[in-house]
Amino acid sequence: MRNLVIAAVGASFLTTMSAIAADHSVDVSAAESGTYASDPGHAYITFSYLHQGYSKPFLRWRKWDATLDWDADDPSKSTVSVEIDASSIDSGVDKFDAHLRSADFFEVDKYPKITFVSTSLEKTGNATGVMTGDLIVKGKTTPVTLDVTLNKAADDAFAKGHKLGFSARGKVKRSDLGVGKYAPAVGDDVDLVIEVEFVKPKA
């Protein structure tokens, strides 16, 4: 019964958030054009997968940087580049983290960085778009598509600069990236969840 109540509450929350998102309007020109850096205190790359049908664990990388070249007049011309410290993988379980860093998975001694560079951005709404880019893991390049939402653009007094906040969602197959060990017993499909704020300090 408790699980049913949790599921019902969760479904209600998602429905409410979807309604809010549908009504959400953003002034995309409120933050000026230029080069922005990700705010390390408000930047999250997480992913999940199906573990033998039992659960969907969430993992993240603790250390990563991103650069956004923002075009306020035409956001579709904006570009993003990301560099992740592969060894900063964090599952919350030390033994599992050590395994993920090994040659079975990310092989961080040989491939210390994971990178993503956008190649195109297509607007689908006032503050939404589809970003395509090249993800490089263990020397393997795979195209990735992300559904992106601009949550807010502002001249932010607290940040002492211009600020942009984004949410992005996407899917990849880990076997395409050389980290497919134990698939399909452990799910091959990986859900990406990205939340990031970018800041451009005032001159």
Coordinates of all heavy atoms in Angstrom, one line a residue, residues 68-107:
L68 N 29.6 27.4 -22.4 CA 28.4 27.7 -23.2 C 28.7 29.0 -24.0 O 29.0 30.0 -23.4 CB 27.2 27.9 -22.4 CG 25.9 28.5 -23.1 CD1 25.4 27.6 -24.2 CD2 24.9 28.9 -22.1
D69 N 28.7 28.9 -25.3 CA 28.8 30.1 -26.1 C 27.3 30.5 -26.5 O 26.7 29.8 -27.4 CB 29.6 29.9 -27.4 CG 31.1 29.9 -27.0 OD1 31.5 30.7 -26.2 OD2 31.8 29.0 -27.6
W70 N 26.8 31.5 -25.8 CA 25.3 31.8 -25.9 C 25.1 32.9 -26.9 O 25.7 34.0 -26.9 CB 24.8 32.2 -24.5 CG 23.4 32.6 -24.4 CD1 23.0 33.9 -24.1 CD2 22.2 31.9 -24.6 NE1 21.6 34.0 -24.1 CE2 21.1 32.7 -24.4 CE3 22.0 30.5 -25.0 CZ2 19.8 32.3 -24.5 CZ3 20.7 30.1 -25.1 CH2 19.6 31.0 -24.9
D71 N 24.1 32.7 -27.8 CA 23.7 33.7 -28.7 C 22.2 34.0 -28.3 O 21.3 33.3 -28.6 CB 23.7 33.1 -30.2 CG 23.4 34.2 -31.2 OD1 22.6 35.1 -30.9 OD2 24.0 34.1 -32.3
A72 N 22.1 35.2 -27.7 CA 20.7 35.5 -27.2 C 19.8 35.9 -28.3 O 18.6 35.7 -28.2 CB 20.9 36.7 -26.2
D73 N 20.3 36.4 -29.4 CA 19.5 36.7 -30.5 C 19.0 35.5 -31.3 O 17.9 35.5 -31.8 CB 20.2 37.7 -31.5 CG 20.6 39.0 -30.8 OD1 19.8 39.5 -30.1 OD2 21.7 39.5 -31.1
D74 N 19.8 34.5 -31.3 CA 19.4 33.2 -32.0 C 20.0 32.1 -31.3 O 21.1 31.6 -31.6 CB 19.9 33.3 -33.5 CG 19.5 32.0 -34.3 OD1 18.8 31.2 -33.7 OD2 19.8 32.0 -35.5
P75 N 19.3 31.6 -30.2 CA 19.8 30.5 -29.4 C 20.2 29.2 -30.2 O 21.1 28.5 -29.7 CB 18.7 30.2 -28.4 CG 17.9 31.5 -28.3 CD 18.0 32.1 -29.7
S76 N 19.6 29.0 -31.4 CA 20.0 27.8 -32.1 C 21.5 27.9 -32.6 O 22.0 26.8 -33.0 CB 19.1 27.7 -33.3 OG 19.3 28.8 -34.3
K77 N 22.1 29.1 -32.5 CA 23.5 29.2 -32.9 C 24.4 29.0 -31.7 O 25.7 29.0 -31.8 CB 23.7 30.5 -33.5 CG 23.0 30.8 -34.9 CD 23.4 32.1 -35.4 CE 22.7 32.4 -36.8 NZ 22.9 33.7 -37.3
S78 N 23.9 28.8 -30.5 CA 24.6 28.6 -29.3 C 25.3 27.2 -29.4 O 24.8 26.2 -30.0 CB 23.8 28.7 -28.1 OG 23.1 29.9 -28.0
T79 N 26.5 27.1 -28.7 CA 27.2 25.8 -28.6 C 27.6 25.5 -27.2 O 27.8 26.4 -26.4 CB 28.4 25.8 -29.5 OG1 29.3 26.9 -29.1 CG2 28.0 26.0 -31.0
V80 N 27.8 24.2 -26.9 CA 28.2 23.8 -25.6 C 29.4 22.8 -25.7 O 29.3 21.9 -26.6 CB 27.0 23.1 -24.8 CG1 27.5 22.5 -23.5 CG2 25.9 24.1 -24.5
S81 N 30.3 22.9 -24.8 CA 31.4 21.8 -24.7 C 31.5 21.5 -23.2 O 31.4 22.3 -22.3 CB 32.7 22.3 -25.3 OG 33.2 23.5 -24.6
V82 N 31.7 20.2 -23.0 CA 31.8 19.6 -21.6 C 33.0 18.7 -21.5 O 33.3 18.0 -22.4 CB 30.5 18.8 -21.3 CG1 30.5 18.3 -19.9 CG2 29.2 19.6 -21.6
E83 N 33.6 18.8 -20.4 CA 34.7 17.9 -20.0 C 34.5 17.4 -18.6 O 34.4 18.1 -17.7 CB 36.1 18.6 -20.1 CG 37.3 17.7 -19.9 CD 38.6 18.4 -20.1 OE1 39.1 18.5 -21.2 OE2 39.2 18.8 -19.0
I84 N 34.5 16.0 -18.5 CA 34.2 15.3 -17.3 C 35.4 14.6 -16.8 O 36.1 13.9 -17.6 CB 33.1 14.3 -17.5 CG1 31.8 15.0 -17.9 CG2 32.8 13.5 -16.2 CD1 30.7 14.0 -18.4
D85 N 35.8 14.7 -15.5 CA 36.8 13.9 -14.9 C 36.2 12.5 -14.7 O 35.4 12.3 -13.8 CB 37.2 14.6 -13.6 CG 38.3 13.8 -12.9 OD1 38.6 12.6 -13.3 OD2 38.8 14.2 -11.8
A86 N 36.6 11.6 -15.5 CA 36.0 10.2 -15.4 C 36.2 9.6 -14.1 O 35.3 8.8 -13.6 CB 36.6 9.3 -16.5
S87 N 37.3 9.9 -13.4 CA 37.6 9.2 -12.1 C 36.6 9.7 -11.0 O 36.6 9.1 -9.9 CB 39.0 9.4 -11.7 OG 39.3 10.8 -11.4
S88 N 35.9 10.8 -11.3 CA 35.0 11.4 -10.3 C 33.7 10.7 -10.2 O 32.7 11.2 -9.6 CB 34.9 12.9 -10.5 OG 34.1 13.2 -11.6
I89 N 33.5 9.5 -10.9 CA 32.3 8.8 -10.9 C 31.8 8.5 -9.4 O 32.7 8.2 -8.6 CB 32.4 7.5 -11.7 CG1 31.0 6.8 -11.8 CG2 33.4 6.5 -11.0 CD1 30.2 7.5 -12.9
D90 N 30.6 8.7 -9.1 CA 30.1 8.6 -7.7 C 28.8 7.8 -7.7 O 27.7 8.3 -8.1 CB 29.9 9.9 -7.1 CG 29.4 9.9 -5.7 OD1 29.4 8.8 -5.1 OD2 29.0 11.0 -5.2
S91 N 28.8 6.6 -7.2 CA 27.6 5.8 -7.1 C 27.1 5.8 -5.7 O 26.0 5.3 -5.4 CB 27.9 4.3 -7.5 OG 28.8 3.7 -6.6
G92 N 27.9 6.3 -4.7 CA 27.6 6.3 -3.3 C 28.1 5.0 -2.7 O 28.0 4.8 -1.5
V93 N 28.7 4.1 -3.5 CA 29.3 2.9 -2.9 C 30.8 2.8 -3.4 O 31.1 2.6 -4.6 CB 28.5 1.6 -3.5 CG1 29.1 0.3 -2.9 CG2 27.0 1.7 -3.2
D94 N 31.7 2.9 -2.4 CA 33.1 3.0 -2.8 C 33.6 1.8 -3.6 O 34.4 2.0 -4.6 CB 33.9 3.1 -1.5 CG 33.7 4.4 -0.7 OD1 33.2 5.3 -1.4 OD2 34.1 4.5 0.5
K95 N 33.2 0.6 -3.2 CA 33.6 -0.6 -3.9 C 33.2 -0.6 -5.4 O 33.9 -0.9 -6.3 CB 33.2 -1.9 -3.2 CG 33.7 -3.2 -3.8 CD 33.2 -4.4 -3.0 CE 33.8 -5.7 -3.6 NZ 33.3 -6.8 -2.8
F96 N 31.9 -0.2 -5.6 CA 31.4 -0.1 -6.9 C 32.1 1.0 -7.7 O 32.4 0.8 -8.9 CB 29.9 0.2 -6.9 CG 29.2 0.2 -8.2 CD1 29.6 -0.6 -9.2 CD2 28.0 0.9 -8.4 CE1 29.0 -0.7 -10.5 CE2 27.4 0.9 -9.6 CZ 27.9 0.1 -10.7
D97 N 32.4 2.1 -7.1 CA 33.1 3.2 -7.8 C 34.5 2.7 -8.3 O 34.9 3.0 -9.4 CB 33.3 4.4 -6.8 CG 32.0 5.1 -6.5 OD1 31.0 4.9 -7.2 OD2 32.0 5.9 -5.6
A98 N 35.2 1.9 -7.5 CA 36.5 1.4 -7.9 C 36.3 0.5 -9.1 O 37.2 0.5 -10.0 CB 37.1 0.6 -6.7
H99 N 35.3 -0.3 -9.1 CA 35.0 -1.2 -10.2 C 34.7 -0.4 -11.5 O 35.2 -0.7 -12.6 CB 33.9 -2.1 -9.9 CG 33.7 -3.3 -10.9 ND1 32.6 -4.1 -11.0 CD2 34.5 -3.7 -11.9 CE1 32.7 -4.9 -11.9 NE2 33.9 -4.7 -12.5
L100 N 33.9 0.7 -11.3 CA 33.6 1.5 -12.5 C 34.8 2.2 -13.1 O 34.8 2.5 -14.3 CB 32.5 2.6 -12.1 CG 31.1 2.1 -11.8 CD1 30.3 3.1 -11.1 CD2 30.4 1.6 -13.0
R101 N 35.8 2.5 -12.2 CA 37.0 3.1 -12.7 C 37.9 2.1 -13.4 O 38.9 2.5 -14.1 CB 37.8 3.8 -11.6 CG 37.0 4.9 -10.9 CD 37.8 5.6 -9.8 NE 37.0 6.6 -9.1 CZ 36.6 6.5 -7.8 NH1 37.0 5.4 -7.2 NH2 35.9 7.4 -7.3
S102 N 37.7 0.8 -13.3 CA 38.6 -0.2 -13.8 C 38.4 -0.4 -15.3 O 37.5 0.2 -15.9 CB 38.3 -1.5 -13.1 OG 37.1 -2.1 -13.5
A103 N 39.2 -1.3 -15.9 CA 39.1 -1.6 -17.3 C 37.8 -2.2 -17.7 O 37.4 -2.2 -18.9 CB 40.3 -2.5 -17.7
D104 N 37.0 -2.8 -16.7 CA 35.7 -3.3 -17.0 C 34.7 -2.3 -17.5 O 33.8 -2.6 -18.3 CB 35.1 -4.0 -15.8 CG 35.7 -5.4 -15.5 OD1 36.4 -5.9 -16.4 OD2 35.4 -5.9 -14.4
F105 N 35.0 -1.0 -17.1 CA 34.0 0.0 -17.4 C 34.8 1.2 -18.0 O 35.2 1.2 -19.1 CB 33.2 0.4 -16.2 CG 32.2 -0.7 -15.8 CD1 32.5 -1.5 -14.8 CD2 31.0 -0.8 -16.6 CE1 31.6 -2.5 -14.5 CE2 30.1 -1.8 -16.2 CZ 30.4 -2.7 -15.2
F106 N 35.0 2.3 -17.2 CA 35.5 3.5 -17.8 C 37.1 3.6 -17.9 O 37.6 4.5 -18.6 CB 35.1 4.7 -16.9 CG 33.6 5.0 -17.0 CD1 32.7 4.6 -16.0 CD2 33.1 5.6 -18.1 CE1 31.4 4.8 -16.1 CE2 31.7 5.8 -18.3 CZ 30.8 5.4 -17.3
E107 N 37.8 2.7 -17.3 CA 39.2 2.5 -17.5 C 39.9 3.9 -17.4 O 40.6 4.4 -18.3 CB 39.5 1.9 -18.9 CG 40.9 1.4 -19.0 CD 41.1 0.5 -20.3 OE1 40.1 0.3 -21.0 OE2 42.2 0.0 -20.5

